[in-house]
Amino acid sequence: MLSVLRGIPASPGIVVGPVHLLRWEVPEVRHRLIDDAEIESEIARFHEALDKARVRLRLLRARTEAQAGPKEAAIFDVQLSMLDDGEMVKAPIALIQQNLGAEKAFDFVMAEWRQHFARSSSPMLREKVGDLTDIHIRVLSLLLELPDHDPVDVPPGSNAILVTHDLTPSLTMQLDRNCIGAIATEAGTATAHVAILARSLGLPAVVGLRQALSALQGGEVAILDGTDGTLVIAPTDDEVAAAKHRVEEEAGRADVMRELAHSEPVTRDDHRMVVRANVDIPEESELAAQSGARGAGLMRTEFLVVGRASMPDEEEQYASYSRVARAFAGDAVIIRTFDVGGDKLPVGGFPHEANPFLGWRAIRMCLDESELFKVQLRALLRAAVHGDLRIMLPLVVTVDEVRETRQLISECVEELAERRVPFRADVPLGVMVETPAAAVACDTLVRDVDFFSIGSNDLVQYTLAVDRGNANLAPRYTPFHPAVLRLMQQVQTTGAAHGLDVSVCGEMASQPLAVFALMGLGIRHLSVAPRAVADVKRVIRGVRAEAAADAARAALAASTAREAETLLRRRLRSELER
Ligand code: PEP
Ligand code: MG
């Protein structure tokens, strides 16, 4: 058996703890016929499983309410009411009475319902597919007496390493953060949303650990190293001691890192950079504001939505955006409108799509559902009185999307004026440049927008046609490909020529080597993970902008990503050693 699994480092830190396996997939069910004499006891067994599922859901509901609030807990009300639905109980019982084993009867009915809901023309029903799937898994696991893989069951205070195939954002929201010390997934890459969320929650994580579930039993001790991207199974005493030593060492470096994080982001030849923080949930904003970053360059508002049964209303959104605006006390706070879709879906999800990353998502969904979008825009205009708030649109491919948004903003301004609530009408509006269309044709956008922010996570995926979440493709997913670097240069040059700020807010802005390359392309605004501020400033302060520009010119002329990366690395090293 393998004792060290290697994956992709996704969120730094080392944790020594017991493995908790989470298999949240519909289990295989064998066809099983029963005798007439067994029918009654089989029906009783089915009722018992439903009762146990109810108890678990109530537990989960209570815990979520205590930790996250009543709105988040409402997801479980939807599932509890489904379990009480007469049809969900009657239909499997009818099949058991025709001599089918309870688990097959339930599996059969649920599979039919899920298909029926998924194909429904009613969005209300389609939204319920995720809940049905949760119930399907939960009740079947009880009927099959499978080892308990429920996310609710991690022993408190155990500092467990959660290992699962893929952690959806909604499942992430259900986890008890007091019990989980680290996350490991078989799927995913460093820019998949599980990785981004793990970084915001400060949980060490390794993704793309391809054989993890088959190599583990659950309960064994392991060491997860989120910096190296490894999971050591059943480590020796020496390995545990070495890991603990590294944890202490990192704690010892904390003072030096703090000082660096709060230093000025100025190059050796006196070029000033702006380093802002990425914020994924409003609760992180106070910590992010103390990270040494000046302002928030990207708040991903969709994390207010994922894992919930319904959209947050205007008041709740207003409270969230105001919190972030206030936390950064006058520094710019760039809030991105809902980028829902792709791998970021609310509970129940959206209509099934063959290619969700090319699908009905982000600004497309918001413009089609303009009432829902206007709720967010009104909340943003109101929150803008509490700071230097700016609005940013995701996945823009054409200036029409910006113009339509401006029209909706004018409508919101009128509505708010009528309601006589405080708001700001002149909130700057910018776009994410994360599609080749937006990058190549960024000159068509310049007159209608106030700033550009390059979303390198998606720009890389769409330019290279490499799924950002596919672990098998991870080595092919690189921001150093000359095509990506050239697109970014074009955006920087065009933006600067029109007096627009151009920033980069994808994960590459948090990586030292990429920071060097971006500075060389002329980019002066970065938005980074709060934990990366010190490392980013180390590069900024250790180099000359002139040397970075020289290196970027050479990288732009390279024929391959590897060539570009190698030469950038060499030049950064020699610059830092000067
Ligand atoms: C990006 O695409 O680079 C980005 C910052 O947005 P997200 O990672 O949320 O897609
Ligand atoms: Mg993106």
Side-chain angles (χ1 to χ4, degrees), residues 245-291:
H245 181 66
R246 280 189 55 199
V247 173
E248 278 164 23
E249 250 179 16
E250 281 193 8
R253 280 176 53 217
D255 281 347
V256 181
M257 295 301 274
R258 207 170 300 119
E259 198 176 313
L260 189 55
H262 286 86
S263 62
E264 292 297 319
V266 178
T267 63
R268 292 209 326 259
D269 52 356
D270 255 355
H271 287 260
R272 179 169 285 274
M273 300 282 291
V274 174
V275 180
R276 299 188 178 122
N278 288 352
V279 176
D280 293 334
I281 43 179
E283 291 72 19
E284 312 170 71
S285 40
E286 288 80 12
L287 267 183
Q290 291 159 23
S291 67

mmCIF file of all heavy atoms in Angstrom, residues 245-291:
data_model
loop_
_atom_site.group_PDB
_atom_site.id
_atom_site.type_symbol
_atom_site.label_atom_id
_atom_site.label_comp_id
_atom_site.label_asym_id
_atom_site.label_seq_id
_atom_site.Cartn_x
_atom_site.Cartn_y
_atom_site.Cartn_z
ATOM 1 N N HIS A 245 7.499 19.529 14.403
ATOM 2 C CA HIS A 245 8.596 20.493 14.463
ATOM 3 C C HIS A 245 8.383 21.601 13.414
ATOM 4 O O HIS A 245 8.572 22.780 13.685
ATOM 5 C CB HIS A 245 9.917 19.751 14.213
ATOM 6 C CG HIS A 245 11.109 20.646 14.281
ATOM 7 N ND1 HIS A 245 11.496 21.261 15.441
ATOM 8 C CD2 HIS A 245 11.979 21.054 13.318
ATOM 9 C CE1 HIS A 245 12.560 21.998 15.195
ATOM 10 N NE2 HIS A 245 12.875 21.891 13.918
ATOM 11 N N ARG A 246 7.951 21.181 12.217
ATOM 12 C CA ARG A 246 7.729 22.181 11.158
ATOM 13 C C ARG A 246 6.575 23.127 11.507
ATOM 14 O O ARG A 246 6.618 24.314 11.211
ATOM 15 C CB ARG A 246 7.455 21.490 9.823
ATOM 16 C CG ARG A 246 8.742 21.042 9.174
ATOM 17 C CD ARG A 246 8.526 20.547 7.772
ATOM 18 N NE ARG A 246 7.857 21.516 6.917
ATOM 19 C CZ ARG A 246 7.239 21.208 5.798
ATOM 20 N NH1 ARG A 246 7.202 19.954 5.402
ATOM 21 N NH2 ARG A 246 6.674 22.119 5.058
ATOM 22 N N VAL A 247 5.541 22.554 12.162
ATOM 23 C CA VAL A 247 4.417 23.406 12.585
ATOM 24 C C VAL A 247 4.952 24.488 13.540
ATOM 25 O O VAL A 247 4.640 25.671 13.410
ATOM 26 C CB VAL A 247 3.316 22.580 13.284
ATOM 27 C CG1 VAL A 247 2.241 23.477 13.878
ATOM 28 C CG2 VAL A 247 2.695 21.582 12.305
ATOM 29 N N GLU A 248 5.821 24.063 14.479
ATOM 30 C CA GLU A 248 6.380 25.036 15.445
ATOM 31 C C GLU A 248 7.258 26.071 14.741
ATOM 32 O O GLU A 248 7.210 27.253 15.038
ATOM 33 C CB GLU A 248 7.216 24.312 16.507
ATOM 34 C CG GLU A 248 6.353 23.728 17.596
ATOM 35 C CD GLU A 248 7.096 22.695 18.425
ATOM 36 O OE1 GLU A 248 8.347 22.730 18.470
ATOM 37 O OE2 GLU A 248 6.412 21.844 19.015
ATOM 38 N N GLU A 249 8.056 25.573 13.771
ATOM 39 C CA GLU A 249 8.936 26.487 13.044
ATOM 40 C C GLU A 249 8.130 27.564 12.326
ATOM 41 O O GLU A 249 8.470 28.742 12.371
ATOM 42 C CB GLU A 249 9.688 25.695 11.983
ATOM 43 C CG GLU A 249 11.145 25.538 12.276
ATOM 44 C CD GLU A 249 11.783 24.724 11.158
ATOM 45 O OE1 GLU A 249 11.189 24.552 10.067
ATOM 46 O OE2 GLU A 249 12.883 24.256 11.409
ATOM 47 N N GLU A 250 7.028 27.115 11.696
ATOM 48 C CA GLU A 250 6.203 28.080 10.964
ATOM 49 C C GLU A 250 5.632 29.112 11.920
ATOM 50 O O GLU A 250 5.556 30.301 11.607
ATOM 51 C CB GLU A 250 5.095 27.366 10.192
ATOM 52 C CG GLU A 250 5.674 26.792 8.934
ATOM 53 C CD GLU A 250 4.647 26.325 7.925
ATOM 54 O OE1 GLU A 250 3.447 26.575 8.109
ATOM 55 O OE2 GLU A 250 5.080 25.676 6.967
ATOM 56 N N ALA A 251 5.225 28.645 13.113
ATOM 57 C CA ALA A 251 4.692 29.581 14.106
ATOM 58 C C ALA A 251 5.789 30.582 14.499
ATOM 59 O O ALA A 251 5.526 31.772 14.691
ATOM 60 C CB ALA A 251 4.186 28.822 15.324
ATOM 61 N N GLY A 252 7.044 30.095 14.558
ATOM 62 C CA GLY A 252 8.176 30.950 14.931
ATOM 63 C C GLY A 252 8.462 32.030 13.893
ATOM 64 O O GLY A 252 8.936 33.111 14.214
ATOM 65 N N ARG A 253 8.149 31.712 12.607
ATOM 66 C CA ARG A 253 8.420 32.691 11.539
ATOM 67 C C ARG A 253 7.322 33.753 11.465
ATOM 68 O O ARG A 253 7.400 34.706 10.706
ATOM 69 C CB ARG A 253 8.493 31.974 10.196
ATOM 70 C CG ARG A 253 9.833 31.295 9.953
ATOM 71 C CD ARG A 253 9.791 30.528 8.637
ATOM 72 N NE ARG A 253 9.355 31.362 7.526
ATOM 73 C CZ ARG A 253 8.585 30.952 6.526
ATOM 74 N NH1 ARG A 253 8.128 29.736 6.498
ATOM 75 N NH2 ARG A 253 8.256 31.764 5.540
ATOM 76 N N ALA A 254 6.264 33.540 12.259
ATOM 77 C CA ALA A 254 5.081 34.378 12.119
ATOM 78 C C ALA A 254 5.383 35.870 12.282
ATOM 79 O O ALA A 254 4.870 36.693 11.542
ATOM 80 C CB ALA A 254 4.010 33.932 13.113
ATOM 81 N N ASP A 255 6.296 36.219 13.249
ATOM 82 C CA ASP A 255 6.584 37.639 13.490
ATOM 83 C C ASP A 255 7.223 38.307 12.283
ATOM 84 O O ASP A 255 6.830 39.396 11.875
ATOM 85 C CB ASP A 255 7.553 37.784 14.684
ATOM 86 C CG ASP A 255 6.792 37.635 15.981
ATOM 87 O OD1 ASP A 255 5.539 37.675 15.917
ATOM 88 O OD2 ASP A 255 7.438 37.472 17.024
ATOM 89 N N VAL A 256 8.220 37.595 11.710
ATOM 90 C CA VAL A 256 8.912 38.139 10.539
ATOM 91 C C VAL A 256 7.922 38.338 9.399
ATOM 92 O O VAL A 256 7.926 39.366 8.710
ATOM 93 C CB VAL A 256 10.022 37.149 10.093
ATOM 94 C CG1 VAL A 256 10.780 37.683 8.890
ATOM 95 C CG2 VAL A 256 10.947 36.851 11.255
ATOM 96 N N MET A 257 7.055 37.345 9.209
ATOM 97 C CA MET A 257 6.087 37.405 8.114
ATOM 98 C C MET A 257 5.112 38.563 8.333
ATOM 99 O O MET A 257 4.723 39.246 7.400
ATOM 100 C CB MET A 257 5.309 36.086 7.995
ATOM 101 C CG MET A 257 6.162 34.906 7.601
ATOM 102 S SD MET A 257 6.975 35.168 6.017
ATOM 103 C CE MET A 257 5.704 34.599 4.907
ATOM 104 N N ARG A 258 4.722 38.779 9.582
ATOM 105 C CA ARG A 258 3.766 39.851 9.883
ATOM 106 C C ARG A 258 4.379 41.208 9.523
ATOM 107 O O ARG A 258 3.738 42.049 8.915
ATOM 108 C CB ARG A 258 3.383 39.803 11.363
ATOM 109 C CG ARG A 258 1.998 40.376 11.609
ATOM 110 C CD ARG A 258 1.495 40.121 13.014
ATOM 111 N NE ARG A 258 1.405 38.709 13.354
ATOM 112 C CZ ARG A 258 2.075 38.113 14.336
ATOM 113 N NH1 ARG A 258 2.908 38.786 15.093
ATOM 114 N NH2 ARG A 258 1.928 36.825 14.585
ATOM 115 N N GLU A 259 5.652 41.364 9.882
ATOM 116 C CA GLU A 259 6.309 42.638 9.590
ATOM 117 C C GLU A 259 6.373 42.874 8.077
ATOM 118 O O GLU A 259 6.060 43.944 7.581
ATOM 119 C CB GLU A 259 7.713 42.610 10.183
ATOM 120 C CG GLU A 259 8.305 43.990 10.328
ATOM 121 C CD GLU A 259 9.660 43.895 11.007
ATOM 122 O OE1 GLU A 259 9.776 43.187 12.035
ATOM 123 O OE2 GLU A 259 10.586 44.509 10.483
ATOM 124 N N LEU A 260 6.734 41.812 7.357
ATOM 125 C CA LEU A 260 6.824 41.909 5.899
ATOM 126 C C LEU A 260 5.448 42.235 5.305
ATOM 127 O O LEU A 260 5.316 43.073 4.417
ATOM 128 C CB LEU A 260 7.344 40.567 5.359
ATOM 129 C CG LEU A 260 7.730 40.497 3.892
ATOM 130 C CD1 LEU A 260 8.751 41.567 3.544
ATOM 131 C CD2 LEU A 260 8.311 39.111 3.597
ATOM 132 N N ALA A 261 4.431 41.575 5.824
ATOM 133 C CA ALA A 261 3.076 41.777 5.295
ATOM 134 C C ALA A 261 2.636 43.230 5.451
ATOM 135 O O ALA A 261 1.876 43.741 4.636
ATOM 136 C CB ALA A 261 2.090 40.852 5.998
ATOM 137 N N HIS A 262 3.126 43.902 6.484
ATOM 138 C CA HIS A 262 2.700 45.285 6.709
ATOM 139 C C HIS A 262 3.682 46.316 6.140
ATOM 140 O O HIS A 262 3.524 47.511 6.352
ATOM 141 C CB HIS A 262 2.454 45.535 8.204
ATOM 142 C CG HIS A 262 1.185 44.876 8.638
ATOM 143 N ND1 HIS A 262 1.133 43.553 9.028
ATOM 144 C CD2 HIS A 262 -0.088 45.325 8.666
ATOM 145 C CE1 HIS A 262 -0.109 43.240 9.295
ATOM 146 N NE2 HIS A 262 -0.871 44.283 9.087
ATOM 147 N N SER A 263 4.687 45.843 5.408
ATOM 148 C CA SER A 263 5.649 46.785 4.827
ATOM 149 C C SER A 263 5.050 47.392 3.548
ATOM 150 O O SER A 263 4.025 46.938 3.046
ATOM 151 C CB SER A 263 6.958 46.052 4.526
ATOM 152 O OG SER A 263 6.703 45.036 3.584
ATOM 153 N N GLU A 264 5.726 48.417 3.018
ATOM 154 C CA GLU A 264 5.216 49.105 1.821
ATOM 155 C C GLU A 264 5.535 48.288 0.560
ATOM 156 O O GLU A 264 6.667 47.846 0.393
ATOM 157 C CB GLU A 264 5.875 50.488 1.688
ATOM 158 C CG GLU A 264 5.457 51.471 2.769
ATOM 159 C CD GLU A 264 3.968 51.775 2.707
ATOM 160 O OE1 GLU A 264 3.441 51.928 1.598
ATOM 161 O OE2 GLU A 264 3.335 51.846 3.783
ATOM 162 N N PRO A 265 4.588 48.131 -0.325
ATOM 163 C CA PRO A 265 4.857 47.358 -1.555
ATOM 164 C C PRO A 265 5.532 48.214 -2.622
ATOM 165 O O PRO A 265 4.913 48.588 -3.611
ATOM 166 C CB PRO A 265 3.463 46.905 -1.987
ATOM 167 C CG PRO A 265 2.526 47.918 -1.412
ATOM 168 C CD PRO A 265 3.181 48.541 -0.212
ATOM 169 N N VAL A 266 6.817 48.519 -2.395
ATOM 170 C CA VAL A 266 7.548 49.394 -3.312
ATOM 171 C C VAL A 266 8.777 48.644 -3.816
ATOM 172 O O VAL A 266 9.490 48.018 -3.028
ATOM 173 C CB VAL A 266 7.982 50.685 -2.568
ATOM 174 C CG1 VAL A 266 8.795 51.584 -3.482
ATOM 175 C CG2 VAL A 266 6.761 51.420 -2.052
ATOM 176 N N THR A 267 9.039 48.723 -5.097
ATOM 177 C CA THR A 267 10.179 47.979 -5.655
ATOM 178 C C THR A 267 11.494 48.688 -5.313
ATOM 179 O O THR A 267 11.479 49.838 -4.870
ATOM 180 C CB THR A 267 10.089 47.887 -7.192
ATOM 181 O OG1 THR A 267 10.172 49.218 -7.712
ATOM 182 C CG2 THR A 267 8.792 47.241 -7.637
ATOM 183 N N ARG A 268 12.609 48.006 -5.602
ATOM 184 C CA ARG A 268 13.907 48.608 -5.279
ATOM 185 C C ARG A 268 14.150 49.871 -6.108
ATOM 186 O O ARG A 268 14.881 50.762 -5.695
ATOM 187 C CB ARG A 268 15.028 47.585 -5.512
ATOM 188 C CG ARG A 268 14.962 46.448 -4.511
ATOM 189 C CD ARG A 268 16.321 45.835 -4.212
ATOM 190 N NE ARG A 268 17.234 45.817 -5.322
ATOM 191 C CZ ARG A 268 17.500 44.757 -6.085
ATOM 192 N NH1 ARG A 268 16.905 43.595 -5.823
ATOM 193 N NH2 ARG A 268 18.360 44.838 -7.056
ATOM 194 N N ASP A 269 13.528 49.944 -7.298
ATOM 195 C CA ASP A 269 13.692 51.174 -8.086
ATOM 196 C C ASP A 269 12.469 52.079 -7.962
ATOM 197 O O ASP A 269 12.113 52.800 -8.883
ATOM 198 C CB ASP A 269 14.037 50.858 -9.548
ATOM 199 C CG ASP A 269 13.065 49.881 -10.185
ATOM 200 O OD1 ASP A 269 12.166 49.381 -9.467
ATOM 201 O OD2 ASP A 269 13.171 49.622 -11.384
ATOM 202 N N ASP A 270 11.792 51.946 -6.804
ATOM 203 C CA ASP A 270 10.772 52.926 -6.402
ATOM 204 C C ASP A 270 9.452 52.911 -7.157
ATOM 205 O O ASP A 270 8.817 53.945 -7.312
ATOM 206 C CB ASP A 270 11.365 54.349 -6.490
ATOM 207 C CG ASP A 270 11.656 54.846 -5.099
ATOM 208 O OD1 ASP A 270 11.314 54.126 -4.139
ATOM 209 O OD2 ASP A 270 12.230 55.946 -4.982
ATOM 210 N N HIS A 271 9.059 51.778 -7.637
ATOM 211 C CA HIS A 271 7.729 51.677 -8.249
ATOM 212 C C HIS A 271 6.769 51.110 -7.206
ATOM 213 O O HIS A 271 7.062 50.086 -6.590
ATOM 214 C CB HIS A 271 7.755 50.765 -9.476
ATOM 215 C CG HIS A 271 8.438 51.401 -10.643
ATOM 216 N ND1 HIS A 271 7.766 51.991 -11.686
ATOM 217 C CD2 HIS A 271 9.759 51.587 -10.893
ATOM 218 C CE1 HIS A 271 8.627 52.497 -12.543
ATOM 219 N NE2 HIS A 271 9.856 52.255 -12.089
ATOM 220 N N ARG A 272 5.654 51.780 -7.033
ATOM 221 C CA ARG A 272 4.710 51.350 -5.994
ATOM 222 C C ARG A 272 3.656 50.415 -6.587
ATOM 223 O O ARG A 272 3.146 50.668 -7.685
ATOM 224 C CB ARG A 272 4.035 52.574 -5.388
ATOM 225 C CG ARG A 272 3.006 52.251 -4.313
ATOM 226 C CD ARG A 272 2.596 53.508 -3.584
ATOM 227 N NE ARG A 272 3.641 53.950 -2.670
ATOM 228 C CZ ARG A 272 3.774 53.507 -1.420
ATOM 229 N NH1 ARG A 272 2.912 52.633 -0.939
ATOM 230 N NH2 ARG A 272 4.745 53.933 -0.654
ATOM 231 N N MET A 273 3.377 49.365 -5.858
ATOM 232 C CA MET A 273 2.305 48.443 -6.248
ATOM 233 C C MET A 273 1.132 48.634 -5.286
ATOM 234 O O MET A 273 1.295 49.174 -4.194
ATOM 235 C CB MET A 273 2.775 46.984 -6.135
ATOM 236 C CG MET A 273 3.959 46.611 -6.989
ATOM 237 S SD MET A 273 3.511 46.335 -8.709
ATOM 238 C CE MET A 273 2.540 44.826 -8.597
ATOM 239 N N VAL A 274 -0.038 48.165 -5.683
ATOM 240 C CA VAL A 274 -1.192 48.152 -4.777
ATOM 241 C C VAL A 274 -1.508 46.682 -4.524
ATOM 242 O O VAL A 274 -1.711 45.925 -5.479
ATOM 243 C CB VAL A 274 -2.403 48.860 -5.419
ATOM 244 C CG1 VAL A 274 -3.637 48.725 -4.534
ATOM 245 C CG2 VAL A 274 -2.079 50.327 -5.664
ATOM 246 N N VAL A 275 -1.482 46.286 -3.257
ATOM 247 C CA VAL A 275 -1.786 44.883 -2.938
ATOM 248 C C VAL A 275 -3.086 44.842 -2.144
ATOM 249 O O VAL A 275 -3.167 45.353 -1.027
ATOM 250 C CB VAL A 275 -0.644 44.227 -2.130
ATOM 251 C CG1 VAL A 275 -0.991 42.777 -1.804
ATOM 252 C CG2 VAL A 275 0.660 44.289 -2.911
ATOM 253 N N ARG A 276 -4.107 44.260 -2.758
ATOM 254 C CA ARG A 276 -5.394 44.127 -2.082
ATOM 255 C C ARG A 276 -5.628 42.650 -1.762
ATOM 256 O O ARG A 276 -4.886 41.777 -2.201
ATOM 257 C CB ARG A 276 -6.520 44.656 -2.973
ATOM 258 C CG ARG A 276 -6.361 46.131 -3.304
ATOM 259 C CD ARG A 276 -7.585 46.680 -4.028
ATOM 260 N NE ARG A 276 -7.446 48.092 -4.286
ATOM 261 C CZ ARG A 276 -7.504 48.652 -5.499
ATOM 262 N NH1 ARG A 276 -7.734 47.903 -6.566
ATOM 263 N NH2 ARG A 276 -7.356 49.953 -5.636
ATOM 264 N N ALA A 277 -6.686 42.398 -0.982
ATOM 265 C CA ALA A 277 -6.959 41.015 -0.568
ATOM 266 C C ALA A 277 -8.191 40.469 -1.282
ATOM 267 O O ALA A 277 -9.113 41.221 -1.598
ATOM 268 C CB ALA A 277 -7.198 40.976 0.942
ATOM 269 N N ASN A 278 -8.206 39.179 -1.517
ATOM 270 C CA ASN A 278 -9.420 38.509 -1.983
ATOM 271 C C ASN A 278 -10.223 38.082 -0.758
ATOM 272 O O ASN A 278 -9.666 37.542 0.195
ATOM 273 C CB ASN A 278 -9.073 37.250 -2.792
ATOM 274 C CG ASN A 278 -8.493 37.601 -4.156
ATOM 275 O OD1 ASN A 278 -8.491 38.757 -4.551
ATOM 276 N ND2 ASN A 278 -8.015 36.591 -4.859
ATOM 277 N N VAL A 279 -11.515 38.327 -0.809
ATOM 278 C CA VAL A 279 -12.383 37.979 0.323
ATOM 279 C C VAL A 279 -13.503 37.096 -0.216
ATOM 280 O O VAL A 279 -14.148 37.454 -1.189
ATOM 281 C CB VAL A 279 -13.013 39.253 0.939
ATOM 282 C CG1 VAL A 279 -13.980 38.906 2.041
ATOM 283 C CG2 VAL A 279 -11.940 40.187 1.454
ATOM 284 N N ASP A 280 -13.690 35.939 0.384
ATOM 285 C CA ASP A 280 -14.734 35.056 -0.117
ATOM 286 C C ASP A 280 -16.002 35.083 0.717
ATOM 287 O O ASP A 280 -17.088 34.851 0.213
ATOM 288 C CB ASP A 280 -14.208 33.621 -0.224
ATOM 289 C CG ASP A 280 -13.146 33.537 -1.305
ATOM 290 O OD1 ASP A 280 -13.196 34.370 -2.227
ATOM 291 O OD2 ASP A 280 -12.260 32.684 -1.207
ATOM 292 N N ILE A 281 -15.864 35.308 1.999
ATOM 293 C CA ILE A 281 -17.066 35.392 2.842
ATOM 294 C C ILE A 281 -16.935 36.626 3.744
ATOM 295 O O ILE A 281 -15.829 36.948 4.176
ATOM 296 C CB ILE A 281 -17.273 34.110 3.688
ATOM 297 C CG1 ILE A 281 -15.955 33.627 4.294
ATOM 298 C CG2 ILE A 281 -17.900 33.000 2.894
ATOM 299 C CD1 ILE A 281 -16.083 32.394 5.167
ATOM 300 N N PRO A 282 -18.047 37.330 4.007
ATOM 301 C CA PRO A 282 -17.945 38.593 4.754
ATOM 302 C C PRO A 282 -17.263 38.410 6.101
ATOM 303 O O PRO A 282 -16.531 39.295 6.552
ATOM 304 C CB PRO A 282 -19.401 39.020 4.958
ATOM 305 C CG PRO A 282 -20.227 38.195 4.048
ATOM 306 C CD PRO A 282 -19.434 37.008 3.607
ATOM 307 N N GLU A 283 -17.432 37.243 6.706
ATOM 308 C CA GLU A 283 -16.849 37.005 8.037
ATOM 309 C C GLU A 283 -15.322 37.104 8.018
ATOM 310 O O GLU A 283 -14.700 37.288 9.040
ATOM 311 C CB GLU A 283 -17.252 35.623 8.577
ATOM 312 C CG GLU A 283 -18.716 35.464 8.940
ATOM 313 C CD GLU A 283 -19.646 35.389 7.739
ATOM 314 O OE1 GLU A 283 -19.164 35.108 6.619
ATOM 315 O OE2 GLU A 283 -20.852 35.644 7.899
ATOM 316 N N GLU A 284 -14.716 36.927 6.820
ATOM 317 C CA GLU A 284 -13.243 36.991 6.788
ATOM 318 C C GLU A 284 -12.750 38.413 6.664
ATOM 319 O O GLU A 284 -11.540 38.648 6.698
ATOM 320 C CB GLU A 284 -12.650 36.371 5.553
ATOM 321 C CG GLU A 284 -12.892 35.166 4.948
ATOM 322 C CD GLU A 284 -12.195 35.167 3.583
ATOM 323 O OE1 GLU A 284 -10.965 35.117 3.540
ATOM 324 O OE2 GLU A 284 -12.901 35.183 2.567
ATOM 325 N N SER A 285 -13.645 39.393 6.418
ATOM 326 C CA SER A 285 -13.131 40.693 5.993
ATOM 327 C C SER A 285 -12.274 41.376 7.051
ATOM 328 O O SER A 285 -11.275 41.996 6.708
ATOM 329 C CB SER A 285 -14.243 41.600 5.485
ATOM 330 O OG SER A 285 -15.379 41.477 6.251
ATOM 331 N N GLU A 286 -12.616 41.262 8.325
ATOM 332 C CA GLU A 286 -11.819 41.958 9.355
ATOM 333 C C GLU A 286 -10.393 41.392 9.377
ATOM 334 O O GLU A 286 -9.418 42.136 9.417
ATOM 335 C CB GLU A 286 -12.466 41.830 10.746
ATOM 336 C CG GLU A 286 -13.750 42.670 10.911
ATOM 337 C CD GLU A 286 -14.974 42.017 10.291
ATOM 338 O OE1 GLU A 286 -14.880 40.816 9.942
ATOM 339 O OE2 GLU A 286 -16.017 42.685 10.129
ATOM 340 N N LEU A 287 -10.298 40.051 9.321
ATOM 341 C CA LEU A 287 -8.959 39.439 9.315
ATOM 342 C C LEU A 287 -8.190 39.835 8.058
ATOM 343 O O LEU A 287 -7.004 40.160 8.114
ATOM 344 C CB LEU A 287 -9.072 37.915 9.364
ATOM 345 C CG LEU A 287 -9.016 37.272 10.737
ATOM 346 C CD1 LEU A 287 -9.066 35.758 10.608
ATOM 347 C CD2 LEU A 287 -7.717 37.695 11.433
ATOM 348 N N ALA A 288 -8.898 39.811 6.918
ATOM 349 C CA ALA A 288 -8.246 40.162 5.646
ATOM 350 C C ALA A 288 -7.770 41.607 5.698
ATOM 351 O O ALA A 288 -6.702 41.945 5.170
ATOM 352 C CB ALA A 288 -9.212 39.955 4.485
ATOM 353 N N ALA A 289 -8.546 42.472 6.363
ATOM 354 C CA ALA A 289 -8.168 43.887 6.441
ATOM 355 C C ALA A 289 -6.914 44.070 7.295
ATOM 356 O O ALA A 289 -6.209 45.055 7.163
ATOM 357 C CB ALA A 289 -9.315 44.713 7.006
ATOM 358 N N GLN A 290 -6.639 43.084 8.175
ATOM 359 C CA GLN A 290 -5.426 43.191 9.001
ATOM 360 C C GLN A 290 -4.246 42.427 8.411
ATOM 361 O O GLN A 290 -3.213 42.260 9.038
ATOM 362 C CB GLN A 290 -5.706 42.607 10.390
ATOM 363 C CG GLN A 290 -6.669 43.448 11.207
ATOM 364 C CD GLN A 290 -7.305 42.641 12.318
ATOM 365 O OE1 GLN A 290 -6.758 41.627 12.759
ATOM 366 N NE2 GLN A 290 -8.463 43.070 12.769
ATOM 367 N N SER A 291 -4.430 41.912 7.185
ATOM 368 C CA SER A 291 -3.391 41.043 6.619
ATOM 369 C C SER A 291 -2.226 41.826 6.047
ATOM 370 O O SER A 291 -1.232 41.247 5.630
ATOM 371 C CB SER A 291 -4.003 40.201 5.493
ATOM 372 O OG SER A 291 -4.362 41.073 4.422
#
